[in-house]
Amino acid sequence: MHVAMLRRLTKGGRVVRKLLGGLFVALVVWFAATPSANADGEEITGFVRNEVTKDGKAVREPVPNVKIAISSLDGGSVGVATTDETGKFSQPVPGPGDYVAEIDQTSLPKDVALRQAGQAKLTVNIRPGESQILNYFLGKDTRATKGRWGILPQTLANGVKSSMIIAVCAVGLSLIYGTTGLSNFAHGELVTLGAIVAWNMNQQVGLHVLLAAPIGIAAAAIAGLANERLLWRPLRHKGTSLTSMMIISIGLGIGVRYVYLYFFGGRAKAFRQYAVQKAHDFGPFSLTSRDLVTIGLCLVLLVGFAMYLLRTRMGKAIRAVSDNPDLASATGIDADHVILLVWGLGGALAGLGGILLGLDQQVRWDSGFSLLLLMFAAITLGGLGNPFGALAGAFVIGMFVELWTWIFPSVVELKTLGALATLILVLLVRPQGLLGRKERTG
């Protein structure tokens, strides 16, 4: 009996082994027959060519043995493609998504360089079944090594551009503080909102960035109006202290920021237009057309806004409420209406600043937060509540941020330290700020 049972178990075991073996073979055949992730053609391909002049004509010659590293956004390596004799390279990718293509500049021939330095590292979006083509053009390496003093003019030019963007964003923050006394730590999220809405209109809807920008500015302005009408005005009328409101603004900023991260994603994204531009030389420094437009637009806007505050009836009302809200109300000025207008103007200026920052550094979920400390430093340095002081403070902060990178070029992160050091030094000498007024105490 035991022998018969043992034979049946042995026979059953053989059957199970055969079934498992057959299942394994079936799985192998199924995986072999299943198309791979790149069977539909997802790959990054392109050419590397060197532009030379022969017989008075520009000729593009293929460049072999140049390496292009392909990686995922989190840094995981996908592969390294090498150009063949025709200058072509090709690298299959695991599937649709975003990848980073970085050319190994050490593999380039001697005395040549990329014509556009911004092409060295590119973010590439691959759609299902798509083959993304990249073209790299080389030319004679004309780069000249400059000493510390040789790069100072370029540093100052960058400082002017940074100052203009900070000023546009900080003016609204200064007016909000002046009219309400609120230190709004969620102001940076209005900056980010303008950039994100404009990016979506540009990339997802397909509008040109010049048409998408007004929509982003309007969205930030509406958000500013909604903030005041639905949140801050009711809190003020209920007698909520400024300290409590400031803490609420910190929490609001954190919450909204992570909403942006959830829906927008964690990587920087560029607009379709004006992402890569050739710089124009102006003697010792160079600026792109985008930089020139940014500086010119901010300058015109800030001068126009200053004239609005000085010459128009509503501008004078804003300054009156900023100086003394109770006295302004006693003279017949509707303080609530003025404050609502200030929030709308502040939101619009913040949105414009975010778009300009996105054009310069790409759009990120925390773009406004990265400027928040510099904005507060600017309005504190210039004189709290004084919009003209915010302009002066933004210029000083922007310049010193860039100069700090000139003094410590190997540690870029120290540029924010430069802004704080400047703020402390100025306030030690002039506690009320550059354009602030002394206040009597006691």
Side-chain angles (χ1 to χ4, degrees), residues 4-161:
M5 184 179 295
L6 181 61
R7 287 178 178 175
R8 285 197 297 271
L9 290 173
T10 304
K11 185 177 180 180
R14 290 174 182 173
V15 172
V16 171
R17 285 197 295 272
K18 288 181 179 180
L19 288 174
L20 290 175
L23 180 60
F24 176 76
V25 172
L27 287 173
V28 171
V29 173
W30 183 76
F31 275 113
T34 301
S36 60
N38 61 330
D40 288 333
E42 289 102 350
E43 64 177 358
I44 297 175
T45 185
F47 294 88
V48 179
R49 300 185 177 97
N50 183 30
E51 294 186 350
V52 297
T53 302
K54 290 184 177 181
D55 299 328
K57 296 182 179 180
V59 179
R60 293 176 177 175
E61 298 179 340
V63 183
N65 302 320
V66 177
K67 297 180 179 179
I68 296 90
I70 310 298
S71 61
S72 59
L73 288 180
D74 59 6
S77 177
V78 174
V80 178
T82 304
T83 56
D84 57 20
E85 295 300 322
T86 65
K88 182 179 180 180
F89 68 91
S90 180
Q91 175 61 50
V93 295
D98 295 317
Y99 298 90
V100 176
E102 184 172 7
I103 189 168
D104 182 2
Q105 300 192 64
T106 62
S107 66
L108 299 179
K110 293 182 179 180
D111 301 325
V112 298
L114 284 169
R115 286 191 175 274
Q116 294 181 342
Q119 274 196 320
K121 190 173 183 179
L122 299 173
T123 300
V124 182
N125 178 262
I126 304 294
R127 297 178 180 178
E130 183 181 64
S131 177
Q132 188 68 264
I133 300 176
L134 302 177
N135 286 308
Y136 295 93
F137 298 108
L138 311 180
K140 185 177 180 181
D141 191 355
T142 57
R143 292 174 296 179
T145 303
K146 295 182 179 181
R148 177 65 61 85
W149 293 102
I151 64 175
L152 180 59
Q154 183 64 53
T155 302
L156 295 176
N158 294 338
V160 171
K161 179 183 66 176

Side-chain angles (χ1 to χ4, degrees), residues 35 59-60 65 74 123 132 144 159 188 192 198 237 249 277 282-283 405 432:
V59 179
R60 293 176 177 175
N65 302 320
D74 59 6
T123 300
Q132 188 68 264
T192 307
H237 289 178
S249 76
Q277 290 189 327
F282 297 93
T405 63
Q432 71 272 27

Side-chain angles (χ1 to χ4, degrees), residues 150-215:
I151 64 175
L152 180 59
Q154 183 64 53
T155 302
L156 295 176
N158 294 338
V160 171
K161 179 183 66 176
S162 299
S163 300
M164 292 297 176
I165 296 176
I166 296 172
V168 167
C169 297
V171 168
L173 181 61
S174 178
L175 285 174
I176 290 170
Y177 179 86
T179 54
T180 66
L182 171 64
S183 297
N184 180 27
F185 280 84
H187 193 74
E189 277 50 69
L190 295 177
V191 175
T192 307
L193 178 64
I196 288 179
V197 171
W199 182 88
N200 275 282
M201 291 295 104
N202 177 244
Q203 288 282 12
Q204 306 299 332
V205 179
L207 294 179
H208 191 280
V209 68
L210 297 179
L211 298 176
I215 300 176

Side-chain angles (χ1 to χ4, degrees), residues 311-361:
R311 300 293 179 86
T312 67
R313 183 176 180 179
M314 185 56 70
K316 293 176 181 179
I318 291 174
R319 289 192 292 123
V321 174
S322 181
D323 288 339
N324 193 322
D326 294 331
L327 182 60
S329 297
T331 59
I333 296 175
D334 187 348
D336 281 342
H337 178 72
V338 170
I339 292 172
L340 185 65
L341 176 63
V342 164
W343 273 92
L345 290 173
L349 291 172
L352 174 62
I355 294 169
L356 295 176
L357 183 66
L359 285 168
D360 185 53
Q361 302 178 7

